[in-house]
Amino acid sequence: MLTIDCRDVLSIKNELLVYVSDQAVAIPTLKHNQFTLSTLDDDEVIDINSVIASIKEFLDSIGEGQNFAVISNNEIISIKSISGKIIERDAVPQSDMFSCTHCGYVTRYEVELNVHMRIHYL
């Protein structure tokens, strides 16, 4: 199980969780200032390097890649601000989010959720 510390990026934690868990093919668990990633099978190991690459890719996609460092220490990955700046965004109201009852996938769009849920029935 990997823990990702999101103290400096709390306003984008939910979006980051969805992106990274999809890229790492892992089960996310949301916590107060962090989230964890685990596998279905205890024998499997999540590749830390691919998780770090996914976090950096996400930060680059929102134009914040140069402002944050992604640091790994054993099973804990921290996202730290280089300049002391934190990401501030208006939070999306929780009522506007749709969640998959099978795996916890979260999206803003009901149509996207319906398409996603079809994969569970293939």
Side-chain angles (χ1 to χ4, degrees):
M1 178 169 34
L2 292 177
T3 300
I4 293 83
D5 181 0
C6 300
R7 293 175 204 273
D8 290 353
V9 293
L10 283 177
S11 64
I12 62 165
K13 179 177 66 174
N14 292 342
E15 296 170 56
L16 181 65
L17 171 138
V18 170
Y19 184 80
V20 173
S21 64
D22 280 350
Q23 295 294 317
V25 188
I27 301 168
T29 304
L30 192 58
K31 296 188 177 182
H32 183 63
N33 291 324
Q34 61 192 15
F35 63 89
T36 61
L37 298 174
S38 56
T39 59
L40 283 173
D41 187 4
D42 291 335
D43 296 334
E44 292 181 26
V45 177
I46 299 172
D47 182 20
I48 294 175
N49 293 326
S50 69
V51 172
I52 291 171
S54 296
I55 294 170
K56 288 180 179 181
E57 188 176 296
F58 181 83
L59 290 172
D60 286 339
S61 75
I62 61 169
E64 295 289 348
Q66 300 298 319
N67 298 324
F68 291 88
V70 182
I71 304 162
S72 172
N73 184 11
N74 295 328
E75 299 292 313
I76 299 175
I77 299 172
S78 299
I79 305 168
K80 294 291 182 186
S81 174
I82 295 172
S83 63
K85 173 189 167 194
I86 61 169
I87 297 176
E88 295 180 7
R89 274 193 184 171
D90 293 334
V92 176
Q94 198 65 20
S95 62
D96 291 346
M97 300 296 280
F98 298 94
S99 177
C100 176
T101 56
H102 300 290
C103 67
Y105 173 77
V106 178
T107 182
R108 292 182 189 167
Y109 309 104
E110 186 174 11
V111 172
E112 187 175 324
L113 176 66
N114 292 335
V115 170
H116 164 83
M117 288 186 70
R118 290 179 189 159
I119 67 169
H120 293 292
Y121 299 103
L122 294 178

